[in-house]
Amino acid sequence: MFTVEPQADYLDACLVSIFQIHVNNPKGDILVFLPGQDAIESLTALVNEYSAQLRPQQQRLLACPLFAALPPSQQQKVFDPAPENTRKVILSTNIAETSITIPGIKYVIDCGLAKLRGFNPKIGVESLLLHPISKSSAWQRTGRAGREAAGVCYRLYTEGAFRELEDDTVPEIRRCNLAAAVLSLKATGIDNVLEFDYMDRPSRASLVRALEELYALGAIDDKGDLSDLGKQMAEFPLDPTYSKVLIQSKDYGCSLEVIAIISLLSVDSVFFTPSDKREQASEARKKFLHPDGDHLTLLNVLKSYWEVKGDIEWCKENFINNRNVKIALEVRDQLIRFCERIDMNPHSTCGSDTDNVLKCFLTGFFQNTALLQPDGSYKSVAGSQLVKIHPGSAMFGKRVEGILYNELVFTTKHYVRGVSAIQSAWLPLAAPKYFNNVKSSN
């Protein structure tokens, strides 16, 4: 079923649809597709607020959020049977499109939107923006209704809008950074990646950008051939920047710390912030914060986790996502085995000299750096873009000489995430070839 007119506010339309179904339709749980965690948390609060006003004899309404960063104990509520005389309304991202099947769903509400990651190869910026879903996604969502009995899907967009949707979601290879893919192709003996016969051909600009990034990292030489360093980097199941950092950790004597941090960066956030306990979560997080930023903050989390031997109650008290830390530890074990395969000692440690850890990360992330400007803003070294530190960073609100960051993402502004403090004098030492070229071109 489609709406007659376009909906200006998809959250409001979802809220109205939920209560119309609840008041007027027979028993059966409701699944609402939303684009992201923020929207889910906002709608959860609204559903709880309005359901408290239902008449005493009315069937109760239980809101169950579902998104990747949610701890397993809370995700499980989605699958548990609802209490007597209660209807569940599951508010989910597109994780419920194909990844899981939830029993008891009879009604689906589809807002027609999803958050998609994109990558602009011209400026090297990732984006995470709202986009209309494709027809194939719309049919996947519709198929969630009535898998056990007859069901209904309410699409909060017009039939005309549906006809204008793309048939399929744009393949990831055409909207992501291709450095890892190009490195893999080079490692398998495919030299001319520009003319390779891709199933879904990415843009030439994306491929050229990937080659430029690999050249800057030292993974390919002046002729475009894989270097010895590049061959080692291809051994690791990581993005090339992380592979470079991990290999260089041998020279900086901090492999143990670097492996731990990369493992934690390879999973969804280890911090969990419930919408109704933001202040408590923020206060709990303070005990892990490192003055030099997010990388060493993650290291503090892991050290504390080990001290309590992964105690689940400690994780709950400190708003740590126990499942994500466990996955990170599995990644850590794998990386240790990969290091041993190339005769690299994965247990060398820098002890309290944490500057070496940040200097090591600079060897891979030298293009992801920004320097403080007189007005207090930060300007990226590569591209001279003004960037802002994400509010969720340990470095938010701080002024330091320079920063390195894991990613530059455009949402409403150009935000940098995974931020740590650096000194500008470290830059030419971390990547002398790159910065000599930058100096000569200027």
Side-chain angles (χ1 to χ4, degrees):
M1 297 176 68
F2 297 94
T3 58
V4 177
E5 297 177 349
Q7 302 298 303
D9 184 339
Y10 71 89
L11 276 183
D12 182 64
C14 286
L15 184 66
V16 170
S17 300
I18 288 167
F19 281 92
Q20 284 180 340
I21 292 169
H22 184 59
V23 171
N24 300 321
N25 290 35
K27 289 183 179 181
D29 293 336
I30 306 169
L31 172 59
V32 186
F33 282 102
L34 293 163
Q37 180 178 340
D38 291 345
I40 289 171
E41 290 179 340
S42 297
L43 191 56
T44 299
L46 288 169
V47 169
N48 289 336
E49 179 184 339
Y50 282 91
S51 62
Q53 301 172 24
L54 291 170
R55 294 191 300 272
Q57 66 271 27
Q58 184 76 46
Q59 186 184 22
R60 299 289 91 197
L61 197 57
L62 177 65
C64 300
L66 179 62
F67 48 87
L70 204 62
S73 58
Q74 297 198 35
Q75 288 189 7
Q76 185 56 41
K77 292 178 182 177
V78 168
F79 303 96
D80 293 338
E84 192 174 346
N85 197 36
T86 302
R87 189 201 301 267
K88 283 193 300 185
V89 54
I90 292 104
L91 310 172
S92 175
T93 59
N94 54 10
I95 191 175
E97 266 185 36
T98 54
S99 303
I100 57 173
T101 297
I102 303 166
I105 299 297
K106 189 171 182 180
Y107 308 100
V108 166
I109 298 172
D110 175 15
C111 73
L113 297 168
K115 276 189 177 179
L116 284 181
R117 278 191 177 272
F119 180 73
N120 185 332
K122 292 180 181 178
I123 55 176
V125 176
E126 282 197 342
S127 59
L128 185 62
L129 301 172
L130 279 181
H131 292 275
I133 60 173
S134 63
K135 286 192 179 79
S136 61
S137 283
W139 285 118
Q140 284 282 3
R141 293 180 176 191
T142 299
R144 301 290 100 183
R147 292 179 72 84
E148 298 172 343
V152 182
C153 178
Y154 298 87
R155 291 173 172 164
L156 302 183
Y157 43 94
T158 64
E159 192 169 358
F162 173 78
R163 283 197 289 267
E164 291 175 5
L165 295 176
E166 296 288 337
D167 288 339
D168 296 293
T169 306
V170 177
E172 192 170 355
I173 195 171
R174 286 169 50 192
R175 54 182 173 84
C176 72
N177 186 339
L178 296 177
V182 169
L183 181 62
S184 295
L185 287 173
K186 289 277 185 183
T188 55
I190 297 163
D191 292 323
N192 191 351
V193 295
L194 293 174
E195 303 302 327
F196 182 70
D197 187 18
Y198 299 91
M199 286 183 66
D200 294 289
R201 174 165 288 280
S203 69
R204 187 178 181 86
S206 294
L207 290 167
V208 169
R209 171 83 188 195
L211 288 168
E212 289 173 347
E213 183 177 329
L214 292 175
Y215 178 71
L217 289 169
I220 56 177
D221 59 23
D222 294 344
K223 296 179 181 178
D225 297 327
L226 208 59
S227 65
D228 290 338
L229 174 61
K231 290 172 185 175
Q232 279 194 322
M233 288 166 61
E235 290 282 331
F236 292 94
L238 297 168
D239 281 342
T241 44
Y242 287 118
S243 299
K244 171 79 178 286
V245 171
L246 188 46
I247 292 166
Q248 292 297 313
S249 69
K250 178 181 179 181
D251 296 334
Y252 286 86
C254 56
S255 299
L256 191 69
E257 290 82 4
V258 164
I259 290 171
I261 294 169
I262 290 176
S263 301
L264 291 163
L265 290 170
S266 299
V267 299
D268 289 325
S269 176
V270 296
F271 293 109
F272 172 58
T273 307
S275 57
D276 57 341
K277 294 181 180 178
R278 290 192 187 279
E279 288 184 13
Q280 296 98 307
S282 178
E283 196 62 33
R285 189 180 175 189
K286 285 179 182 177
K287 68 182 73 169
F288 305 110
L289 293 183
H290 192 285
D292 286 338
D294 296 325
H295 297 81
L296 298 175
T297 293
L298 288 175
L299 195 58
N300 285 344
V301 171
L302 193 58
K303 287 177 179 176
S304 300
Y305 183 86
W306 273 329
E307 285 174 8
V308 299
K309 298 178 180 177
D311 181 70
I312 292 178
E313 286 305 314
W314 176 88
C315 290
K316 288 180 180 177
E317 289 169 12
N318 290 282
F319 298 91
I320 300 296
N321 191 316
N322 182 48
R323 181 189 61 180
N324 287 352
V325 178
K326 284 184 174 179
I327 296 171
L329 289 176
E330 291 174 6
V331 172
R332 177 181 174 272
D333 291 340
Q334 290 176 11
L335 293 181
I336 287 173
R337 290 196 294 272
F338 276 106
C339 288
E340 290 170 343
R341 184 190 296 175
I342 63 169
D343 296 324
M344 177 179 157
N345 177 16
H347 302 292
S348 64
T349 175
C350 61
S352 58
D353 188 10
T354 51
D355 278 0
N356 266 8
V357 175
L358 299 180
K359 288 176 183 177
C360 182
F361 267 90
L362 261 186
T363 63
F365 287 87
F366 51 86
Q367 295 185 86
N368 287 16
T369 51
L371 298 177
L372 184 67
Q373 303 302 299
D375 62 358
S377 63
Y378 289 95
K379 184 178 284 188
S380 64
V381 173
S384 297
Q385 285 186 312
L386 286 176
V387 299
K388 291 184 176 291
I389 296 175
H390 193 273
S393 169
M395 296 299 295
F396 181 69
K398 291 186 178 182
R399 287 191 179 194
V400 292
E401 183 181 347
I403 56 174
L404 74 85
Y405 50 87
N406 292 332
E407 58 179 354
L408 170 57
V409 176
F410 179 77
T411 49
T412 52
K413 299 174 183 175
H414 285 112
Y415 280 117
V416 290
R417 294 195 232 193
V419 184
S420 287
I422 60 166
Q423 297 174 27
S424 57
W426 296 351
L427 290 170
L429 299 174
K433 183 179 176 182
Y434 176 80
F435 286 101
N436 286 339
N437 287 342
V438 170
K439 189 181 291 185
S440 61
S441 64
N442 290 338

